[in-house]
Amino acid sequence: MTSAPLAARLNRVAGPLFFPVTAYGPDGAVDLDAFRAHVRTGVDAGAAAVFACCGTGEFHALTPEEFRLVVAAAVEETAGEVPVVAGAGYGTALAIQYARLAEEAGADGLLAMPPYLVVADQAGLLGHYTALAAATGLETIVYQRDNAVFTPETVVALAGTPGVIGLKDGYGDLDLMQRIVSAVRTERPGHEFLYFNGLPTAELTGLAYRGIGVTLYSSAVFAFAPDIALAFYRALDSGDTDLVDALLDHFYRPLVELRAKGRGYAVSLVKAAVRLGGLDVGEVRTPLTEPPAAHVEELTGIIARGRALLEKYGQERHG
C-alpha cells in the first residue's frame, strides 16, 4: 500500500488499467509465482494500476485465504510502482470480510462488485456499499453491472459517502451514464468523483464514453497483449483516428465477436490468450470452461492481426 490517496493516483494515469488473471498450477492450486510474473509483465509494460482478484481474476472462484495470498502477491510485486485494487463482493458480511483481507494484504483500494444473486432496491444497494466503504480505510470504487444498477440519485448519494471515490460502469447504458455524470456534477459541484468504462472490452466503446467525459477504462486486452492495448490507449488519447479505427475494425471488433460465442469468455478467452503469450497461468476453475481449439485458433489469428497493424502503422510513420 502506498501513502498517496488512490483517487489522486487514478486521476492522473497514463495507461490502461490492468486486470490480471489468477494463475493456477497443474494441481489446480493458486500459482503465486506465475501470478507474480504476470503482474510484473503488466507493470513493466505500462499498466496504470493493478486490479487483482476481480472479475477477470476469478474472484468468484477463490477462497478467502487464496484471495489474501493473491492480493498480497500483487502488492509485493508492484512494490508501490502502481496502486493495487482488490475485488470485494457477495453479501455485505462477506464483502466486508474480503475488504478487510485486502486491507491486511496491503491493497490500496477496493472494487466493490455486485451483491451475490439478490436484486435489491436502491436503498438496499446504498446501504450495502455504505457499510462496505465504512468497514476499512481503503478507498472504494463501486461496480455498476448486472443486479447493481443505480439511479442518478443513488450515485449522488454514493459520491457523498465517505470512502467511495468512483463508479465503474459495466452496464453500458450511455443515456443513464450521462444522467449520472450530470447529476453528480450539479448536486455535488466541485466534488471529484471518478468514472470508469468497465465493459468487457472497453476499447470498443472508448470513443462513446469519452464523449461523456469518461476516459478511465479497464482493459482485458492488456492482460495478454499489452503492446496492442497501450498502442490503442495512446492513439485514442492523442487523436490518432487512423490507428484507432484500424484496431477497432480488425482487432477489437473481431475479438468481441469471438467473445460472444461462448459463456464466460470474458475470463476464459483472456486466460487462453495469456497462455498463448507463453505464460502458463492454468485453466479457469469451474463453473467456467475452456474455449475449444477452434476458438483458440481464431483468437491466435486476431492477436496476430492486431500486431501486424502496429507494425504497419509504425513502418508508415517511421519509414
Side-chain angles (χ1 to χ4, degrees):
M1 184 174 183
T2 57
S3 57
L6 177 64
R9 298 186 76 189
L10 291 178
N11 199 33
R12 56 174 189 267
V13 303
L17 306 176
F18 174 31
F19 285 67
V21 301
T22 297
Y24 306 124
D27 61 352
V30 169
D31 185 339
L32 293 178
D33 289 339
F35 176 75
R36 286 191 182 95
H38 183 40
V39 169
R40 174 47 49 194
T41 297
V43 172
D44 288 346
V50 173
F51 283 67
C53 302
C54 296
T56 308
E58 295 180 83
F59 170 80
H60 68 278
L62 299 173
T63 67
E65 177 59 14
E66 288 175 329
F67 170 87
R68 185 188 66 78
L69 289 171
V70 173
V71 173
V75 171
E76 291 165 6
E77 192 60 44
T78 58
E81 293 176 58
V82 297
V84 174
V85 179
Y90 301 120
T92 306
L94 270 178
I96 287 172
Q97 180 182 345
Y98 278 96
R100 288 173 175 163
L101 288 171
E103 187 172 42
E104 291 171 12
D108 295 283
L110 300 172
L111 178 63
M113 291 180 284
Y116 173 71
L117 193 61
V118 296
V119 179
D121 60 19
Q122 296 293 297
L125 289 171
L126 182 59
H128 171 76
Y129 293 109
T130 299
L132 178 57
T136 71
L138 299 180
E139 292 170 294
T140 300
I141 300 162
V142 175
Y143 196 177
Q144 170 168 266
R145 58 175 293 172
D146 301 324
N147 59 329
V149 178
F150 309 105
T151 64
E153 293 77 16
T154 299
V155 180
V156 169
L158 284 169
T161 300
V164 177
I165 64 166
L167 178 74
K168 179 184 179 185
D169 180 48
Y171 186 57
D173 183 336
L174 284 172
D175 176 89
L176 174 60
M177 277 302 295
Q178 178 64 83
R179 289 186 287 116
I180 285 171
V181 171
S182 176
V184 173
R185 185 169 58 230
T186 55
E187 297 299 318
R188 300 195 179 277
H191 180 73
E192 184 178 297
F193 195 66
L194 302 177
Y195 300 97
F196 305 77
N197 175 357
L199 291 173
T201 304
E203 288 91 343
L204 199 66
T205 53
L207 287 166
Y209 273 80
R210 280 183 172 245
I212 58 172
V214 179
T215 59
L216 292 164
Y217 65 86
S218 55
S219 175
V221 169
F222 193 89
F224 62 86
D227 52 340
I228 298 174
L230 193 57
F232 181 86
Y233 178 92
R234 290 170 175 166
L236 189 63
D237 201 46
S238 66
D240 184 350
T241 55
D242 289 342
L243 182 54
V244 166
D245 289 348
L247 286 171
L248 286 175
D249 293 346
H250 303 293
F251 174 77
Y252 284 104
R253 180 171 59 84
L255 180 65
V256 168
E257 289 170 349
L258 174 59
R259 192 192 68 218
K261 292 181 180 180
R263 296 275 189 177
Y265 272 19
V267 179
S268 61
L269 207 63
V270 172
K271 208 161 194 182
V274 175
R275 294 195 302 271
L276 286 174
L279 180 62
D280 187 359
V281 290
E283 298 185 348
V284 290
R285 284 179 171 174
T286 55
L288 297 181
T289 57
E290 289 295 309
H295 288 176
V296 175
E297 183 178 353
E298 188 175 345
L299 175 63
T300 302
I302 291 169
I303 296 170
R305 286 200 299 276
R307 292 204 163 112
L309 285 170
L310 299 192
E311 184 175 348
K312 173 188 173 183
Y313 278 81
Q315 288 175 347
E316 287 178 357
R317 285 160 189 171
H318 299 101

